Amino acid sequence: MCYSLSLQSSLLFRNRTSIKIHVDRAISTPNPKSPAVAKRDRRVRSLLCRERSFVESSRFSRLTSLDLCVLPRRHRSRVDCTPEDTAATATTEQPSFSEFITSERVKVVAMLALALALCNADRVVMSVAIVPLSLSRGWSKSFSGIVQSSFLWGYLISPIAGGTLVDRYGGKVIMAWGVALWSLATFLTPWAADTSLWALLAARAMVGVAEGVALPCMNNMVARWFPPTERSRAVGIAMAGFQLGNVVGLMLSPILMSQGGIYGPFVIFGLSGFLWMLVWLSATSSTPDRHPQITKFELEYIMQKQKMSTKENKRNTTGVIPPFRRLLSKMPTWAVIVGNAMHSWGFFVLLSWMPIYFNSVYHVNLKQAAWFSAVPWSMMAFTGYIAGFWSDLLIRRGTSITLTRKIMQSIGFIGPGIALIGLTTAKRPLIASAWLSLAVGLKSFSHLGFLINLQEIAPEYSGVLHGMCLTAGTLAAIVGTVGAGFFVELLGSFQGFILLTAILYLLSALFYNIYSTGERVDFDAAG
């Protein structure tokens, strides 16, 4: 005898009115009245309630009934799938690519990517403007480094406080305030520069203060909107926007300067931030269940996946002051702090000094220097999404989260370390840009290491922990950005500082691989 399957109307289909299901195995039975048949029926029930090919074609709601039609008809039996069975099967279903790319959660992360693009465009514009400003005002390379680091003075202040606010109030509101403040400061930079040097430094510091909340907000929104099996891709999309901001800033700034003067890019990028804020406040929500346009299927999919992830979405309402001592007592915390510090050192050194590097070492003009500097960030935006897709794929295929994070971090730090050594040997700007593209492109893999690791080791404190990491990273970036200027003045060459950066990348990769974990850390335990 063989079982055949018929579906009752209590099944909820996604975008379908009917469906045909074939179970690809036959189940022979002896006497239907025997205990063996009853035992076999229980196995059939489990098979039909949990069979993956069945789950991928249908969606359960509440109580689903299946009729096991046995030939002949007098032996027909009935199987009920309990809510627990249907919940288990629903959570194993993966949405198709078209469903994923048109979902509300992807629209949210696309808006985050745009915000991060504006974030980087507003900060990178000074890397281009510093060349004509230095020439017109007679600034030395060391003083130019100090002017560029003024952004980091503000960036040092806000991440911990901003991360704490994000944990308590969510990423939507805090991100809106952050974009509004840094856009206003960017817009006012031309006025500040014409007023006094101190006003210029204050305006750039205010940009840093406001931008300090951007990445904690991104992490918070990704954790609330995306299930664990999609977070790497979400971070990849958001950080692709982050890197494209470098490309936009570096490529458009010389063009805008040629049309509107040195301060043209500051005005355009500042106004763009206000436009983004209006769309963000009207089209997004802080959590999926508050979004008016989200479909029932997408909301249930996110909620069920979140329930399986060991209370990852738990909000921190225990107190205003986070437990800093307990957070710092665990080595996985130091692993992500060291990873973020090295990432920021390399990021800001390359971002701030590469236009000057190409201009002074290879004697190319400002527009060419900006283009040679922008190409690597385009590569980073592309490889970042590839890294996110690969990271999610590894986890879905059974690789542990810990091993996946270490693989990504190793590629993201060891790769740039080797590429920067190659950069010091380049004799032509095109070769130098190729080495720099390799370094920056591989660097994007580290976003799927230390950056997403924050959500995994301390989901309830991810905002404040990210703030702590950003503060450490900002200190490292200040030392690197200012130190590069003095280093070049003392030794007369960029090569020595680039080699130092390469060595630090390799040592940081080793530290992260020794002490990091992809598991949730118990910060209430001693030690």
Side-chain angles (χ1 to χ4, degrees):
M1 296 181 187
C2 291
Y3 288 101
S4 63
L5 178 65
S6 64
L7 306 180
Q8 303 301 313
S9 60
S10 56
L11 283 173
L12 173 66
F13 298 106
R14 294 183 288 119
N15 304 322
R16 298 176 178 88
T17 56
S18 63
I19 197 167
K20 183 181 292 184
I21 295 177
H22 300 281
V23 178
D24 57 355
R25 66 190 76 179
I27 304 173
S28 299
T29 63
N31 182 0
K33 302 291 187 179
S34 69
V37 172
K39 184 176 181 181
R40 180 65 55 85
D41 280 347
R42 286 195 297 271
R43 286 203 293 265
V44 173
R45 171 185 176 278
S46 177
L47 165 69
L48 294 175
C49 289
R50 300 180 184 274
E51 181 67 26
R52 185 174 178 82
S53 61
F54 174 76
V55 172
E56 289 179 344
S57 302
S58 62
R59 174 78 168 155
F60 293 108
S61 66
R62 296 187 181 179
L63 184 64
T64 301
S65 298
L66 305 177
D67 278 344
L68 296 179
C69 302
V70 184
L71 299 176
R73 291 179 61 86
R74 64 179 178 274
H75 296 309
R76 179 174 297 184
S77 59
R78 182 178 179 86
V79 175
D80 291 330
C81 293
T82 65
E84 289 76 14
D85 291 328
T86 60
T89 56
T91 55
T92 63
E93 181 180 9
Q94 295 294 328
S96 66
F97 177 77
S98 61
E99 290 166 336
F100 174 77
I101 207 68
T102 58
S103 63
E104 292 300 324
R105 61 190 184 279
V106 168
K107 295 175 186 176
V108 170
V109 82
M111 288 297 295
L112 289 171
L114 284 174
L116 295 181
L118 287 169
C119 173
N120 254 4
D122 287 348
R123 74 173 62 167
V124 79
V125 94
M126 184 57 76
S127 300
V128 180
I130 196 68
V131 177
L133 281 174
S134 298
L135 291 175
S136 64
R137 306 192 181 193
W139 294 341
S140 65
K141 283 186 171 58
S142 57
F143 190 79
S144 297
I146 293 174
V147 172
Q148 292 196 81
S149 71
S150 60
F151 165 87
L152 296 168
W153 305 346
Y155 203 65
L156 181 67
I157 298 172
S158 62
I160 293 179
T164 303
L165 291 173
V166 168
D167 284 338
R168 292 184 62 82
Y169 300 111
K172 178 184 175 179
V173 174
I174 305 302
M175 180 66 100
W177 276 105
V179 174
L181 288 175
W182 86 57
S183 297
L184 178 62
T186 300
F187 182 79
L188 294 177
T189 297
W191 170 83
D194 288 337
T195 301
S196 70
L197 175 62
W198 286 107
L200 173 62
L201 297 179
R204 293 302 294 169
M206 181 55 67
V207 174
V209 169
E211 290 193 3
V213 304
L215 289 178
C217 286
M218 182 274 291
N219 245 333
N220 178 274
M221 293 295 285
V222 167
R224 292 184 176 201
W225 271 88
F226 286 84
T229 54
E230 293 179 354
R231 287 181 186 168
S232 294
R233 271 179 291 173
V235 171
I237 293 171
M239 296 308 293
F242 193 68
Q243 311 315 330
L244 285 175
N246 293 331
V247 179
V248 171
L250 288 169
M251 287 187 171
L252 286 186
S253 291
I255 298 172
L256 295 173
M257 285 179 185
S258 65
Q259 300 297 319
I262 294 177
Y263 303 126
F266 295 94
V267 175
I268 297 299
F269 294 146
L271 292 175
S272 299
F274 291 112
L275 178 61
W276 177 93
M277 185 185 66
L278 293 176
V279 178
W280 172 257
L281 290 175
S282 62
T284 60
S285 63
S286 57
T287 56
D289 57 339
R290 296 180 182 178
H291 199 286
Q293 297 178 339
I294 193 170
T295 65
K296 182 180 180 182
F297 167 72
E298 183 181 2
L299 180 59
E300 289 181 352
Y301 172 76
I302 296 171
M303 294 296 102
Q304 288 291 345
K305 285 286 188 179
Q306 295 284 23
K307 288 178 182 177
M308 292 180 64
S309 61
T310 62
K311 301 179 183 178
E312 287 174 275
N313 221 21
K314 178 183 176 183
R315 291 188 66 184
N316 171 28
T317 57
T318 55
V320 176
I321 302 177
F324 293 110
R325 181 176 296 180
R326 281 183 282 145
L327 290 171
L328 293 173
S329 69
K330 306 293 183 179
M331 290 310 296
T333 299
W334 287 103
V336 295
I337 288 176
V338 168
N340 198 98
M342 187 60 236
H343 174 80
S344 296
W345 173 293
F347 179 87
F348 283 102
V349 165
L350 295 177
L351 189 65
S352 301
W353 286 101
M354 282 306 100
I356 298 177
Y357 174 77
F358 279 98
N359 179 255
S360 60
V361 174
Y362 299 106
H363 308 292
V364 298
N365 62 41
L366 178 60
K367 187 174 181 180
Q368 291 174 323
W371 278 71
F372 277 124
S373 304
V375 170
W377 303 107
S378 303
M379 178 67 71
M380 192 176 193
F382 173 74
T383 56
Y385 182 77
I386 299 300
F389 180 82
W390 184 29
S391 177
D392 281 341
L393 186 64
L394 287 174
I395 293 173
R396 287 200 302 270
R397 290 185 174 179
T399 305
S400 70
I401 293 177
T402 297
L403 180 57
T404 300
R405 300 297 170 234
K406 291 182 178 182
I407 291 172
M408 297 294 116
Q409 189 71 24
S410 296
I411 297 173
F413 273 15
I414 295 175
I418 295 173
L420 288 178
I421 294 173
L423 175 62
T424 62
T425 66
K427 303 300 182 183
R428 293 185 297 157
L430 188 62
I431 302 299
S433 185
W435 278 115
L436 190 60
S437 297
L438 182 62
V440 174
L442 292 176
K443 181 179 169 64
S444 66
F445 281 78
S446 67
H447 297 155
L448 290 313
F450 79 90
L451 183 58
I452 199 170
N453 198 202
L454 294 165
Q455 304 169 6
E456 295 158 347
I457 66 172
E460 70 273 36
Y461 298 115
S462 62
V464 67
L465 183 56
H466 201 161
M468 293 164 62
C469 290
L470 287 176
T471 299
T474 304
L475 287 172
I478 291 173
V479 173
T481 304
V482 177
F486 284 100
F487 199 94
V488 172
E489 278 198 351
L490 290 174
L491 300 182
S493 171
F494 278 98
Q495 272 69 17
F497 196 81
I498 292 174
L499 283 174
L500 172 63
T501 301
I503 293 171
L504 291 175
Y505 265 125
L506 300 176
L507 293 176
S508 299
L510 178 63
F511 186 91
Y512 183 88
N513 282 328
I514 292 174
Y515 294 111
S516 66
T517 179
E519 304 299 323
R520 183 169 181 167
V521 176
D522 183 7
F523 289 102
D524 294 324

